[in-house]
Amino acid sequence: MSFFAGLACASPVDQRETERLGSIAITYGGGTGRVWRGDTAALVLTPRAFTPEDRLDRLPAAFMGGMSRLVFDGRLDNRDELIASLSLPAPDAARLGDAALVMAALERWGVDACPRFIGAFALAWWNEVDRRLVLAVDATGGRAIFAHGDGERLCFATRPLAVLAFAGVDRRIDEAAMAHLLLARAMPAGATPFHGVFRLPPAGLLLWHKGNCSVRRYWQPDLERRIRYRNPRDY
């Protein structure tokens, strides 16, 4: 799996933060990362090819004339459906990796594109024009994003210990969450053993804009639906 991390700030990103991202990628991503820095955000990704389409992507990728950036880890299981919905010519679509398809969908539908993605994935999308960060993970929990926010800055990574490597992040243990863990109980939704570090829920969508942060689920299962087959053997 690829590793990515980043941060979004209400004020300009310090050069030292960019250098720290490179170190985080080496330590937790297992290799030299590709770093991008904007005015108030920075991203890093250490790529690991998982599917043939992964080799077509070069992340962090630039879109919208360089005003939109994306890092992505995972795979799409409904490429053909997305390609049809986007009305992309087959020759052009064949040259696009999963990340490029995701970005095309985000540019077309915004965050409403997230329910259209089927697979195991995690993504971070930074819009330089709106100064808005979007984090999202798949509905199955196949990929994860961990984050820490203090009102002025949001740090995130696909591994929890990587979040602790950012400057100023509280390294205290969350005693309540740890008690659940030691007693073999399920931790509260979104909790981690680390104070202030949270995990996006399955189908989680985080929106950050100038210090304001919200988390919601972009998809919920229909618990009222009942599937009935004519032949009991079909169950």
Side-chain angles (χ1 to χ4, degrees):
M1 294 187 294
S2 297
F3 166 85
F4 68 72
L7 71 160
C9 306
S11 56
V13 174
D14 191 285
Q15 174 63 30
R16 290 172 294 183
E17 294 281 13
T18 309
E19 296 170 357
R20 186 180 298 273
L21 274 178
S23 299
I24 288 173
I26 292 173
T27 302
Y28 300 98
T32 302
R34 300 169 182 166
V35 181
W36 169 84
R37 187 183 78 165
D39 291 339
T40 58
L43 303 168
V44 66
L45 180 134
T46 302
R48 293 285 186 276
F50 184 72
T51 67
E53 290 79 13
D54 286 344
R55 303 182 187 280
L56 300 174
D57 288 315
R58 294 293 181 270
L59 302 173
F63 299 86
M64 294 173 58
M67 301 309 293
S68 187
R69 296 278 172 167
L70 178 79
V71 285
F72 177 87
D73 170 45
R75 70 175 196 279
L76 292 176
D77 295 334
N78 62 332
R79 280 180 57 91
D80 292 344
E81 179 183 338
L82 273 176
I83 289 168
S85 298
L86 291 166
S87 301
L88 295 175
D92 294 341
R95 295 193 294 269
L96 298 179
D98 287 350
L101 279 179
V102 165
M103 195 67 245
L106 290 171
E107 290 181 342
R108 175 76 65 84
W109 300 298
V111 296
D112 291 335
C114 291
R116 297 173 180 261
F117 304 146
I118 298 176
F121 63 85
L123 66 90
W125 172 32
W126 173 252
N127 188 310
E128 187 75 6
V129 176
D130 298 333
R131 304 294 175 92
R132 183 179 68 165
L133 174 70
V134 175
L135 304 178
V137 294
D138 65 87
T140 67
R143 294 292 192 275
I145 296 179
F146 302 87
H148 177 279
D150 59 10
E152 291 294 321
R153 181 185 70 165
L154 183 84
C155 306
F156 61 90
T158 51
R159 296 182 182 175
L161 291 178
V163 179
L164 298 181
F166 283 92
V169 174
D170 194 343
R171 292 173 173 267
R172 286 181 298 158
I173 295 295
D174 187 323
E175 295 180 357
M178 185 60 73
H180 281 78
L181 188 64
L182 293 176
L183 293 172
R185 296 175 180 172
M187 285 195 295
T192 72
F194 309 109
H195 183 77
V197 177
F198 62 92
R199 175 176 179 165
L200 266 66
L205 178 68
L206 182 149
L207 302 177
W208 185 96
H209 181 245
K210 296 181 179 179
N212 296 314
C213 182
S214 65
V215 179
R216 62 180 174 85
R217 296 187 66 179
Y218 61 79
W219 177 85
Q220 295 277 1
D222 184 356
L223 301 179
E224 301 299 323
R225 183 185 179 192
R226 295 293 182 266
I227 299 176
R228 304 185 186 281
Y229 295 108
R230 293 180 179 179
N231 190 332
R233 289 177 297 180
D234 290 339
Y235 289 103

